[in-house]
Amino acid sequence: MTSQRTRERLIQRLYEEGVSNAQVLEVIRRTPRHLFVDEALAHRAYEDTALPIGHNQTISQPYMVARMSELLLEAGPLDKVMEIGTGSGYQTAVLSQLVERVFSVERIKVLQDRAKERLVELNLRNVVFRWGDGWEGWPALAPYNGIIVTAVATDVPQALLDQLAPGGRLVIPVGSGEVQQLLLIIREEQGFSRRVLGSVRFVPLLNGPLA
């Protein structure tokens, strides 16, 4: 179930669902998603669905990984991207093949440690990790050309807006319970523009690091 044919079926489905960035599709084709889930779930790794990774977290649906990556890159290549929510490391691995540098923040240390090991195994070495509170971002290394948030916030964290470079793009799910919207926020000369991109379903963005 981790065969090339299974992966090709996933890529075809993503294309049919509207993902059109050829670079994003190629990176998802070659990234071994089965390495980012428990062995017992490896046979489902190339289904277009979120899967549990423990600690009440999930590995994001491939469509959502592709769509959010595509939105970040919509205006051209990016040098410096911050990811809020390392999780399994799958979105991190995809991003690291699309942008020059990734700075990934995760509050659950055991998940981030596993993700680090997977990225080393795949020889993806342009990622720097921080164990900490995603609501705070990573101010010491700001500003970022792109920020991607892989958990739903009740509102847009001011700290993340502050850490966005001029012209920078923030892709973030916002809402609570069943009502969640994916937003694209761009830092303009005179403030921020916002686009609502549709309904989504993510685990909550929580405060405070956990060992």
Side-chain angles (χ1 to χ4, degrees):
M1 290 304 289
T2 59
S3 69
Q4 197 59 39
R5 192 173 4 165
T6 314
R7 295 193 201 191
E8 293 297 341
R9 275 203 301 269
L10 172 61
I11 298 308
Q12 184 60 33
R13 176 167 178 163
L14 298 183
Y15 181 77
E16 288 167 0
E17 289 181 359
V19 177
S20 60
N21 184 307
Q23 190 187 8
V24 170
L25 289 170
E26 177 54 32
V27 165
I28 288 183
R29 176 188 280 112
R30 69 176 183 237
T31 302
R33 191 171 184 250
H34 62 278
L35 297 184
F36 294 86
V37 298
D38 288 341
E39 217 171 305
L41 291 171
H43 65 289
R44 299 189 60 197
Y46 299 98
E47 294 176 14
D48 188 24
T49 186
L51 295 169
I53 57 170
H55 303 272
N56 294 316
Q57 303 298 301
T58 59
I59 181 173
S60 293
Q61 175 191 9
Y63 170 77
M64 199 50 61
V65 170
R67 181 74 180 118
M68 292 172 80
S69 301
E70 184 175 65
L71 286 164
L72 267 190
L73 297 169
E74 207 171 39
L78 294 178
D79 158 50
K80 190 176 174 187
V81 170
M82 177 167 62
E83 175 191 42
I84 303 297
T86 314
S88 70
Y90 177 65
Q91 172 78 75
T92 324
V94 169
L95 275 179
S96 74
Q97 298 169 79
L98 293 166
V99 306
E100 282 194 36
R101 294 175 292 165
V102 180
F103 300 83
S104 189
V105 181
E106 171 59 57
R107 67 186 286 268
I108 302 173
K109 191 169 188 300
V110 65
L111 285 183
Q112 191 172 66
D113 288 345
R114 276 187 221 141
K116 282 183 192 176
E117 290 170 9
R118 289 169 179 137
L119 267 66
V120 167
E121 192 180 332
L122 294 171
N123 201 30
L124 299 172
R125 300 184 182 274
N126 58 337
V127 182
V128 185
F129 296 93
R130 177 177 188 237
W131 172 47
D133 189 329
W135 282 86
E136 297 170 3
W138 199 339
L141 299 180
Y144 304 94
N145 306 117
I147 300 175
I148 190 167
V149 183
T150 62
V152 65
T154 47
D155 50 45
V156 180
Q158 184 61 44
L160 301 189
L161 295 174
D162 293 343
Q163 290 168 47
L164 206 55
R169 305 165 75 81
L170 166 61
V171 180
I172 180 171
V174 175
S176 59
E178 301 293 318
V179 185
Q180 302 179 10
Q181 300 283 349
L182 188 64
L183 303 183
L184 170 64
I185 300 172
I186 301 173
R187 184 166 206 154
E188 313 275 10
E189 280 184 30
Q190 305 297 325
F192 296 90
S193 67
R194 299 186 179 213
R195 245 166 73 197
V196 179
L197 300 156
S199 298
V200 290
R201 189 174 180 85
F202 281 84
V203 296
L205 182 66
L206 301 174
N207 292 99
L210 290 177

